Amino acid sequence: MVAKKTFENIKSLLKKHYQDPLLAFWAELNTAQKQNLLAQIEELDFAKIDYWVANFVKKSISAKIAGDFAPARSYSPHPANAEQKRKYDKAIELGKELIRQSKVAGLVVAGGQGTRLGFDGPKGNFSISPVKNKTLFQIFAETIAAVSRKYQAVCPWYIMTSPLNYAETLEIFRSNSYYGLNEKDVFIFEQGTLPNFSFDGKILLADKAHIACSPDGHGGTLKALYQSGVLEDMKKRGVEFISYWQVDNPLVNIFDPLFIGLHALDGAEMSSKALIKSGPYEKVGNFCLVDGKITVIEYSDLPDELAEKRNPDDSLVFRLGSIAIHIINRSFVERLNAEGFSLPLHRAVKKIPHINQQGKPVEPTEPNGIKLETFIFDALPFASNSIILETIRELEFAPTKNATGIDSVETARQMMVARAANWLESAGVTVPKKPDGSIDCLIEIAPSFALEKEDLKSKLTRVPQIKPKAKLYLA
Ligand code: UD1
């Protein structure tokens, strides 16, 4: 039985905050459903919800651009002078040493589904590699295995899922025997959720006994790391640095000694990789300095006149785009959780399936409500120090977002082949080309064969002559 007092308390709490429709179907629920619904309601922080409804649901606060807003500075991909070369060399050595000492862990955010790819299931299970059709998860797993071998180190891997794809992700790893990794070094955990709202600020019901919720965005990582016990696990293992990336990028260089080393040498708490944007409106976050702090302003929030602004040499003033690759100190995440931080909310107008006041399911064809999310890069201004390392698009960034067109499966596969060809050509191998200069074969280099182009040098005897239209897999 649900205690009458508990029920009455919750009922008046909901009334006070204009959310009493959550109990509209109470009389129709069985005891277990009632208890479950009350537990969901008790999880909600109504003071915060009132604020969200007033400020994000009923109106949209646009990101404010401060007066002393400026472009951020970055380290260039290659050292600019002899002094910087010495620093880069030192950073690479330090980065390698930190990996060898197992002080660096991988963390992929994989809460998203493959919906935009027209794929049903966790995006990490999407087959992407050009010859062997390996999934994103398999490519990452093989990379981690190869790094562990190269540095004779344990490289633990943390995978953040959403409550929607946690069980499926776990099953994918189990049925693939963790892709050969040691199961105890792979930790799959869940992010939190936030309730969904109608445009007039009411929390929606998914069915008569469940609140409609959605994942709290990749910003949820910072709380989930703490709440899931991942931080504790990292501490036990002596992990100090978290290498963070998004599940949709098969070219990511997960354990990059230069990036890790520069971050550590400069005493940074959270750092980022950037690339030069392909144009003013490329759909990537923009690195800016706001009040002297490195901050990412989403492409949708950067005013057109700033996006278009050019330097005398015609380059974009705001040219550094975020590729959502970060090094984050474990101690930084611990500090944020100990201090009780909160990240700003971002509002998204979405189609949200729910039940209406009559209890009938609604499958909207038009946006009908608001989902709220937090973004990991909003933690950057909290870092006492932060660096940006510019990287080269062709080598490290192949976002797989759409089924066709820009940032698609097709472009990602082309980029994987192009990088493999680039590595082979720089080692002296001839790669067949079409008359227009494009690559006339398919090449896939397994992480076990080479993690970077330097790894190829000792393996050239194993590379056959490549014929036009060939399909070559190097492993
Ligand atoms: C993102 C970034 C953008 C960056 C670009 C690079 C945002 C808002 N924008 O765009 O600044 O330049 O990638 O490719 O992030 N995820 C979760 N849980 C969630 C939501 C997302 O784990 O609740 C994960 C996804 O699985 C994915 C990543 O976060 O790995 C990015 O999410 P996505 O929605 O694809 O971001 P984009 O809008 O593509």
Side-chain angles (χ1 to χ4, degrees):
M1 277 297 282
V2 177
K4 197 163 173 2
K5 188 160 173 281
T6 316
F7 174 69
E8 288 304 330
N9 284 348
I10 289 194
K11 197 171 158 187
S12 63
L13 179 77
L14 289 176
K15 212 171 170 77
K16 190 171 147 210
H17 296 277
Y18 309 102
Q19 299 294 353
D20 34 323
L22 288 181
L23 295 177
F25 306 100
W26 182 257
E28 297 174 42
L29 305 183
N30 65 30
T31 307
Q33 287 171 321
K34 283 179 177 168
Q35 266 160 353
N36 188 291
L37 180 59
L38 288 190
Q40 293 169 59
I41 295 171
E42 281 177 323
E43 288 278 300
L44 302 173
D45 180 337
F46 285 97
K48 278 191 183 158
I49 286 175
D50 287 347
Y51 175 75
W52 298 344
V53 168
N55 293 291
F56 298 98
V57 177
K58 291 192 175 171
K59 65 178 182 206
S60 120
I61 297 186
S62 54
K64 287 198 182 65
I65 308 289
D68 62 345
F69 183 79
R73 282 181 298 276
S74 64
Y75 282 103
S76 55
H78 303 292
N81 51 43
E83 192 192 339
Q84 210 174 44
K85 165 114 179 41
R86 278 194 294 279
K87 181 160 187 182
Y88 278 40
D89 288 346
K90 196 169 160 196
I92 291 170
E93 276 322 302
L94 176 60
K96 286 181 177 171
E97 189 50 32
L98 291 170
I99 301 170
R100 261 194 292 274
Q101 292 174 3
S102 298
K103 289 194 170 164
V104 189
L107 164 64
V108 64
V109 282
Q113 295 290 98
T115 329
R116 270 199 279 169
L117 298 177
F119 171 70
D120 193 19
K123 204 169 184 178
N125 203 33
F126 187 80
S127 296
I128 187 76
S129 79
V131 177
K132 290 288 176 188
N133 265 316
K134 289 177 192 173
T135 65
L136 288 151
F137 280 146
Q138 184 171 356
I139 294 169
F140 303 144
E142 290 186 12
T143 304
I144 289 167
V147 173
S148 305
R149 264 194 310 276
K150 182 169 175 174
Y151 293 96
Q152 294 291 298
V154 176
C155 302
W157 184 18
Y158 301 88
I159 298 152
M160 190 178 83
T161 63
S162 79
L164 306 176
N165 66 13
Y166 171 77
E168 218 180 326
T169 305
L170 198 61
E171 184 46 35
I172 290 164
F173 275 78
R174 283 196 181 134
S175 59
N176 286 287
S177 308
Y178 288 77
Y179 304 99
L181 294 171
N182 197 334
E183 188 183 328
K184 72 175 181 34
D185 297 325
V186 180
F187 198 119
I188 302 174
F189 66 106
E190 269 181 80
Q191 66 181 111
T193 58
L194 288 170
N196 298 157
F197 297 87
S198 61
F199 290 128
D200 64 355
K202 296 282 178 279
I203 297 174
L204 294 167
L205 280 171
D207 58 41
K208 291 179 180 175
H210 292 94
I211 291 173
C213 288
S214 51
D216 55 1
H218 43 63
T221 312
L222 298 169
K223 279 211 170 79
L225 284 172
Y226 172 67
Q227 286 168 345
S228 62
V230 165
L231 282 183
E232 251 329 287
D233 186 73
M234 288 179 171
K235 194 171 174 186
K236 262 191 245 141
R237 292 170 181 268
V239 167
E240 288 177 18
F241 302 97
I242 303 168
S243 170
Y244 169 105
W245 78 97
Q246 296 192 160
V247 75
D248 61 10
N249 181 12
L251 287 189
V252 61
N253 181 2
I254 301 174
F255 290 83
D256 179 355
L258 175 64
F259 185 34
I260 298 164
L262 285 174
H263 167 92
L265 273 182
D266 282 3
E269 281 195 309
M270 176 168 174
S271 294
S272 314
K273 272 195 179 170
L275 46 67
I276 303 295
K277 286 179 359 184
S278 57
Y281 300 112
E282 183 175 1
K283 289 188 172 175
V284 290
N286 295 276
F287 283 110
C288 307
L289 275 183
V290 179
D291 294 332
K293 290 273 185 189
I294 290 179
T295 304
V296 171
I297 304 287
E298 253 313 68
Y299 50 88
S300 43
D301 292 330
L302 189 71
D304 288 1
E305 66 274 18
L306 291 179
E308 300 262 8
K309 207 171 165 187
R310 302 224 172 228
N311 294 309
D313 67 359
D314 208 36
S315 61
L316 291 171
V317 169
F318 293 94
R319 62 180 184 281
L320 291 177
S322 167
I323 50 174
I325 294 177
H326 303 284
I327 299 289
I328 308 169
N329 292 0
R330 170 176 56 84
S331 58
F332 176 55
V333 189
E334 285 169 349
R335 174 164 80 72
L336 290 179
N337 280 285
E339 286 171 358
F341 74 109
S342 58
L343 295 178
L345 287 173
H346 296 261
R347 168 194 210 257
V349 179
K350 297 272 183 184
K351 291 182 222 160
I352 306 170
H354 67 287
I355 54 165
N356 63 16
Q357 285 164 354
Q358 289 70 44
K360 297 265 169 317
V362 178
E363 278 294 335
T365 50
E366 293 299 321
N368 63 327
I370 304 292
K371 289 187 178 182
L372 299 173
E373 273 191 301
T374 56
F375 298 156
I376 189 110
F377 50 69
D378 284 328
L380 282 167
F382 298 140
S384 58
N385 194 20
S386 176
I387 63 144
I388 300 173
L389 173 62
E390 183 197 322
T391 182
I392 295 167
R393 180 186 299 266
E394 290 69 27
L395 302 182
E396 295 195 32
F397 186 56
T400 315
K401 308 231 184 239
N402 309 308
T404 53
I406 297 171
D407 295 345
S408 64
V409 179
E410 194 186 351
T411 56
R413 286 197 182 120
Q414 279 166 358
M415 291 186 76
M416 294 175 82
V417 172
R419 184 177 75 173
N422 168 301
W423 286 4
L424 286 167
E425 281 180 329
S426 56
V429 177
T430 305
V431 174
K433 297 274 172 66
K434 292 181 191 158
D436 65 1
S438 60
I439 299 162
D440 194 17
C441 58
L442 285 183
I443 317 171
E444 180 175 334
I445 299 180
S448 59
F449 196 79
L451 284 164
E452 52 184 334
K453 67 177 170 204
E454 283 67 32
D455 296 340
L456 281 180
K457 286 188 192 134
S458 59
K459 301 197 170 155
L460 287 177
T461 51
R462 288 165 56 191
V463 180
Q465 196 194 6
I466 314 172
K467 302 226 168 64
K469 313 265 178 279
K471 270 191 183 183
L472 176 65
Y473 177 62
L474 295 170

